[in-house]
Amino acid sequence: MTKARVDHQPSSLGGRPDNAAAQTAGPTMEMQQETDDDLIRACRSGNAEAWERVLDKYERLVYSIPLNYGLSRDDAADVAQLTFTSLLQSLDSLHEGSRLSAWLATVARRNTWRVIERGRRESTEEYGDVAETMPSLGKDSTSLLERWEMVEWLNHGLTLLNERCRGLLLALYFEPDEPSYADLAARLGMAVGGIGPTRARCLERLKQILEER
Amino acid sequence: MPNSHTLNFARLLDWVEGRLSPEEAAQVAEQVAQAGERADLGWLRAFRQVSAKTTLAAPPPETRDLLRQRFAEYAQAKRPAGMLRRLTATLTFDSSLQPATAGLRSAGTQASQRQLIYAAEIADVALNLQLRQYNQHFDLAGQILPKQAIAPAGFAVELVRDAQPIGTTTADELGEFAFEDLAPGMYELGLRNEQFDLVIAPLELRR
């Protein structure tokens, strides 16, 4: 029997019951093994669950690119809607081997710049001083890293972690409101005392992933 | 006194993030100075700098709802016109309307379980509702039972509340499917394959 967990939380589930971590983390280990080609094919056939998995995997990326360019949450939500709608319109024409992460990041960036150019907010600042630290994080130092590339790169690394690590690191380092260890432990179903050691292991794993990319 | 802590990644992380006591921090600082340049220390400092300036947040739930709707429209538009038959199933059996048998132990459990059978031209749909005592929510287990030569596997099953899809799944090879942790209320259940769109509405989840 196939089961689905109904979404009661602000963050969406990927249809995986009995795992509180999935509510904050998004894609599951199984979805990490599912290729973008698999997802695209399933979506083309009208599989709504596959579309949910696409959203689980990439909605943070698409929503966060405009946020990191200084857009408001409302504008960022608009960019996310436009970007994923573009994906739907392009589904049938995407070729084999398309990388959804890069495709979505590119479209989100373009939509972000359109909003900026419409005058809602002006920001032409590049990721200057942070770009200088890229060699330390394992990124090619010869390219000047724009914010959207940074978001896409970090998001991709995080999607390759297991659910618990991803949920933990997102909450501790990348979400606007950092929860307390007690709140985090309750959310992820962990002991409070385990948060610290787990965060170190997860961060070390992320380091390995980012340096390999 | 020899250092009791190895200067490993976890310890460096605690030091970089200021989570050590002053005494421990001083100890680590001395170890770092003696060890010379460390790649992982440089990485941690860089990560701290980058993460402080980078947000990776989830969009509001309304965004997901809207995109679900867009996908439903996309999928609908891809179906060959005229080939999808919409059928409404009618309730033919409700265990909550059956008299409880006094004197039997099972009578007490009838309140926490409810069986429903819906009938349509092409299939029956059996639903079992199980009440979760601790939060008064329901688990719904169902099975589509075709009357014709229709494979039960692969039916897309969608649960809708207040005109919003709240859960989707796929029937397995036996036509079985399930949804968990449903609040009491009025729902609509849709079961869809390439030929048929079977609707059960309204579906009331109540004690």
Side-chain angles (χ1 to χ4, degrees):
Chain A
M1 177 186 298
T2 54
K3 287 190 175 183
R5 178 73 183 272
V6 172
D7 178 18
H8 294 295
Q9 306 296 328
S11 301
S12 296
L13 297 177
R16 310 300 299 177
D18 303 324
N19 188 337
Q23 296 181 21
T24 54
T28 65
M29 184 64 72
E30 290 83 352
M31 286 185 277
Q32 293 167 16
Q33 297 167 355
E34 185 177 38
T35 66
D36 283 349
D37 284 343
D38 294 334
L39 285 172
I40 291 169
R41 270 194 294 273
C43 288
R44 280 179 185 152
S45 69
N47 188 324
E49 286 184 321
W51 180 245
E52 290 290 315
R53 294 197 294 276
V54 168
L55 297 177
D56 286 340
K57 201 170 177 182
Y58 296 115
E59 65 176 359
R60 277 181 186 266
L61 166 67
V62 172
Y63 180 67
S64 298
I65 285 176
L67 283 182
N68 283 282
Y69 275 93
L71 266 59
S72 67
R73 290 176 190 239
D74 284 345
D75 286 342
D78 288 343
V79 168
Q81 288 171 23
L82 284 169
T83 303
F84 281 110
T85 300
S86 295
L87 177 61
L88 277 176
Q89 293 165 346
S90 305
L91 262 182
D92 294 334
S93 60
L94 289 174
H95 55 78
E96 193 87 3
S98 295
R99 275 190 59 232
L100 280 179
S101 180
W103 192 97
L104 287 166
T106 300
V107 175
R109 179 175 60 92
R110 288 183 193 149
N111 286 330
T112 297
W113 277 106
R114 286 197 188 101
V115 172
I116 292 173
E117 287 168 6
R118 279 207 302 266
R120 292 190 189 190
R121 185 169 179 125
E122 293 187 3
S123 172
T124 58
E125 178 187 347
E126 289 177 338
Y127 230 59
D129 56 341
V130 178
E132 294 174 0
T133 69
M134 287 307 100
S136 301
L137 285 176
K139 197 75 173 116
D140 180 9
S141 61
T142 60
S143 63
L144 183 63
L145 199 69
E146 293 190 43
R147 280 178 189 167
W148 70 276
E149 289 180 296
M150 169 63 62
V151 175
E152 193 270 333
W153 182 57
L154 285 170
N155 184 75
H156 182 79
L158 287 162
T159 61
L160 296 178
L161 294 171
N162 63 41
E163 287 179 50
R164 171 165 287 183
C165 277
R166 183 168 50 252
L168 185 62
L169 296 186
L170 280 170
L172 286 174
Y173 298 110
F174 296 106
E175 288 182 356
D177 305 315
E178 184 181 334
S180 66
Y181 271 22
D183 291 341
L184 204 50
R187 190 201 299 185
L188 299 179
M190 295 173 60
V192 174
I195 297 280
T198 303
R199 116 191 172 281
R201 283 196 298 274
C202 293
L203 199 53
E204 192 166 20
R205 178 62 188 133
L206 179 64
K207 172 177 176 290
Q208 291 169 354
I209 290 171
L210 292 176
E211 288 177 339
E212 287 168 4
R213 196 172 180 214
Chain B
M1 177 181 294
N3 290 328
S4 59
H5 293 281
T6 305
L7 193 55
N8 57 19
F9 187 90
R11 190 118 173 108
L12 278 176
L13 176 60
D14 285 338
W15 181 62
V16 166
E17 294 188 347
R19 296 180 187 274
L20 300 178
S21 67
E23 295 74 24
E24 289 176 315
Q27 191 178 77
V28 171
E30 187 179 336
Q31 286 177 291
V32 167
Q34 290 176 355
E37 186 174 335
R38 287 183 59 132
D40 46 3
L41 179 58
W43 191 93
L44 283 170
R45 285 176 169 150
F47 177 81
R48 188 172 163 77
Q49 184 180 6
V50 167
S51 62
K53 294 187 178 185
T54 305
T55 298
L56 275 171
E62 307 86 70
T63 302
R64 176 68 75 109
D65 293 340
L66 180 66
L67 292 172
R68 282 190 185 120
Q69 187 181 331
R70 295 262 164 90
F71 183 82
E73 294 165 359
Y74 163 83
Q76 178 69 36
K78 286 179 70 77
R79 288 193 194 102
M83 287 188 65
L84 191 68
R85 283 184 60 196
R86 187 176 172 91
L87 302 167
T88 300
T90 54
L91 181 65
T92 58
F93 175 81
D94 185 344
S95 64
S96 69
L97 299 179
Q98 307 303 310
T101 307
L104 294 182
R105 286 181 184 165
S106 60
T109 66
Q110 286 185 343
S112 63
Q113 279 200 48
R114 185 177 168 210
Q115 288 81 42
L116 303 167
I117 297 177
Y118 289 82
E121 177 188 335
I122 60 155
D124 289 336
V125 179
L127 301 178
N128 184 72
L129 300 173
Q130 178 73 47
L131 180 68
R132 294 184 176 193
Q133 295 295 340
Y134 71 95
N135 67 354
Q136 300 297 296
H137 283 195
F138 293 88
D139 292 330
L140 183 154
Q143 186 175 22
I144 181 165
L145 304 160
K147 296 176 181 175
Q148 305 171 5
I150 300 170
F155 266 84
V157 187
E158 183 181 70
L159 193 62
V160 175
R161 181 172 182 171
D162 296 331
Q164 294 294 323
I166 60 168
T168 61
T169 187
T170 306
D172 66 11
E173 63 275 9
L174 297 177
E176 292 178 334
F177 57 90
F179 294 93
E180 296 178 336
D181 197 26
L182 304 174
M186 300 298 285
Y187 293 81
E188 179 179 307
L189 187 69
L191 300 98
R192 192 174 299 121
N193 69 0
E194 291 182 358
Q195 291 179 287
F196 302 102
D197 181 7
L198 186 59
V199 177
I200 293 175
L203 172 62
E204 186 181 14
L205 269 56
R206 59 171 172 76
R207 292 189 59 193

